[in-house]
Amino acid sequence: MHDAIPRLQPDAPRCTDSMEELLNLYVDGELSFAQQPALFAHLAACAPCRRTLDSVLRFRRISRQEHLAVPPAVDDEFMKRLAERRHMSRGADREVARRPLWQARTPVSLRVAVAAAVLVFLTGLLLPLSQQPVQAARLVIGQQEQVELAAYRDADAVYVFYPGLTVEAAPDDEPALESL
Amino acid sequence: MFTDDKALIEAFQAGDEFAFVSLYNRHKNAVFGFCLKMLLDRALAQDVMQETFLRVYENRERLMSATSFRSWLFTIARNQCLNQLRRTRRHVVFDEQEEDALPVRLAEGPMAELEKSEQVELVTHFLGQLKPDYREVLILREYQNLSYDEIAAITRSTLSAVKSRLFKARRKLADYMEPLVQPAPQPVPAAEKPKG
Ligand SMILES: [Zn+2]
């Protein structure tokens, strides 16, 4: 009878809404023990509801066996976009002051980085704005007392941080930083 | 895991950017999965997933409590997805007459005999036939395993509205799937078949 229903029949008669609700609550683990016998008794007698239950559980099983993972290339892209956003949120004036400093030098050694950092720092002292990069300062890894500089690699640049000031170098310069 | 999440969120809100990267790594797959099933377009989903986390980053001060982080994250992802759907109108079926045809090779045999990847393709196809407001509750419940309360918070709905939409979504889904499911012998383990 019910099992003979061949194709999709949207207008086929349904069981009562309350029974459908019990079924859904049961599937979601929200049906109280007291209400379960009524549902099971109905399911035992009602093939359409059994098929609905079967479909819902089948969908769940299939949906949860699909592992959706972000590809590594997308992670890289995200880090790049994050760096860009961070970049945009920094002061444009500071950027203008910084750029010519390092763009002319490739590769950048630590010595050059420190020199540039000091230069930026001194420049900063002469400028009246509160332009120290707060976010950058929080990224400092200051485990060594003597060398408090830390390198942080972004997709498109290497940042050298010292509390309160930042030096940025092109990604090609990273080997120079790693050989500190 | 949850306590770790809480600690990470607090560190992130205090300005620790490494904590943010950790949060990204923990939740990126879930957000990506949600976006993919909402948009049914891999490239778009990757883009929206990224945009979601960028907004999290930029709006960190708006997050009131660390415990609601997941809801907040999915709220942002959902808004991004709905905006995207409005922009592209892709895979949005508002009229049942416009349903996409099921690929023949999937429509033929009983579902159980399909390869796993084909089963996934099949249910994804059915998901794509649902309206976005049905689809989102189904994805949040079945793929993300969120509670009714969480879904209500994310979709800015009442509990009863969530249930109503979820149940209707399942009903439609069952309508799509039932013709492809072989008559199951006794699918209900808990219910003993009564005599007579
Ligand atoms: Zn029934």
Side-chain angles (χ1 to χ4, degrees):
Chain A
M1 304 190 298
H2 284 312
D3 284 335
I5 292 174
R7 300 296 300 176
L8 200 156
Q9 288 192 354
D11 300 326
R14 296 270 170 192
C15 287
T16 59
D17 284 351
S18 67
M19 205 47 75
E20 187 181 29
E21 179 166 5
L22 292 189
L23 190 151
N24 276 281
L25 291 173
Y26 174 66
V27 164
D28 291 325
E30 302 279 344
L31 188 66
S32 69
F33 283 114
Q35 288 174 296
Q36 289 183 7
L39 174 66
F40 296 151
H42 177 77
L43 284 171
C46 180
C49 279
R50 279 206 304 276
R51 278 203 302 272
T52 300
L53 179 63
D54 182 58
S55 293
V56 170
L57 294 179
R58 194 178 290 262
F59 176 81
R60 171 171 297 176
R61 197 172 61 243
I62 294 170
S63 66
R64 291 188 184 173
Q65 78 188 11
E66 185 184 8
H67 180 63
L68 298 166
V70 174
V74 174
D75 289 335
D76 292 345
E77 195 187 329
F78 174 71
M79 292 307 159
K80 195 173 166 187
R81 279 168 76 169
L82 181 63
E84 282 165 7
R85 293 289 174 100
R86 219 164 28 211
H87 211 85
M88 283 182 340
S89 65
R90 278 190 227 135
D93 49 357
R94 210 172 50 79
E95 199 175 316
V96 170
R98 187 183 57 228
R99 274 229 164 124
L101 259 182
W102 57 270
Q103 271 184 344
R105 309 161 197 263
T106 324
V108 175
S109 69
L110 177 62
R111 242 170 249 279
V112 174
V114 171
V118 170
L119 202 56
V120 172
F121 181 64
L122 291 175
T123 311
L125 284 180
L126 299 175
L127 291 173
L129 303 170
S130 64
Q131 52 201 207
Q132 303 306 339
V134 178
Q135 290 173 354
R138 287 169 180 149
L139 279 171
V140 167
I141 308 167
Q143 288 171 334
Q144 294 176 342
E145 279 303 315
Q146 290 190 323
V147 183
E148 290 183 65
L149 284 165
Y152 171 71
R153 180 156 197 221
D154 255 317
D156 58 350
V158 177
Y159 297 96
V160 180
F161 295 109
Y162 185 83
L165 66 100
T166 306
V167 174
E168 189 177 304
D172 298 342
D173 299 340
E174 195 190 20
L177 285 166
E178 279 179 344
S179 63
L180 294 182
Chain B
M1 179 219 164
F2 243 51
T3 36
D4 284 15
D5 236 15
K6 193 167 176 287
L8 279 175
I9 291 152
E10 283 163 359
F12 164 49
Q13 286 191 294
D16 181 345
E17 308 225 354
F18 293 108
F20 173 70
V21 174
S22 297
L23 285 169
Y24 167 80
N25 283 325
R26 275 167 176 248
H27 296 281
K28 64 183 180 182
N29 288 343
V31 173
F32 171 60
F34 173 75
C35 295
L36 182 59
K37 294 301 166 184
M38 279 299 281
L39 302 169
L40 301 170
D41 180 309
R42 199 160 274 274
L44 272 183
Q46 289 169 353
D47 185 59
V48 170
M49 181 277 292
Q50 293 180 50
E51 193 56 38
T52 297
F53 279 98
L54 290 174
R55 280 172 195 249
V56 167
Y57 178 83
E58 286 169 345
N59 295 294
R60 68 186 96 181
E61 73 285 351
R62 292 197 196 175
L63 178 62
M64 289 302 164
S65 84
T67 50
S68 60
F69 179 74
R70 192 165 63 160
S71 296
W72 186 56
L73 186 61
F74 277 105
T75 302
I76 297 172
R78 172 191 180 250
N79 289 341
Q80 297 289 311
C81 285
L82 293 182
N83 286 341
Q84 189 64 47
L85 286 172
R86 269 182 220 115
R87 270 200 293 275
T88 58
R89 307 278 293 185
R90 287 185 64 171
H91 303 289
V92 185
V93 181
F94 289 108
D95 185 344
E96 287 177 23
Q97 302 309 111
E98 293 175 26
E99 280 173 14
D100 298 332
L102 186 62
V104 176
R105 86 199 132 80
L106 299 180
E108 276 174 348
M111 220 172 147
E113 286 175 20
L114 294 174
E115 299 279 326
K116 273 188 181 173
S117 63
E118 289 174 326
Q119 292 185 358
V120 167
E121 193 181 339
L122 188 65
V123 298
T124 303
H125 172 86
F126 292 145
L127 205 55
Q129 306 305 305
L130 301 176
K131 292 191 294 180
D133 57 342
Y134 283 12
R135 204 191 306 164
E136 64 181 11
V137 290
L138 204 55
I139 296 168
L140 291 170
R141 180 71 199 101
E142 300 297 351
Y143 286 85
Q144 306 298 335
N145 201 14
L146 300 187
S147 68
Y148 294 160
D149 284 324
E150 282 177 298
I151 298 171
I154 291 163
T155 59
R156 301 277 191 263
S157 319
T158 62
L159 203 59
S160 62
V162 165
K163 284 191 208 171
S164 168
R165 283 194 288 151
L166 179 62
F167 300 173
K168 282 177 185 163
R170 282 182 176 148
R171 186 195 289 176
K172 273 204 105 22
L173 195 71
D175 282 340
Y176 293 134
M177 288 176 65
E178 277 169 25
L180 297 169
V181 176
Q182 284 293 78
Q186 283 303 319
V188 190
E192 294 295 330
K193 189 172 181 156
K195 307 263 187 256

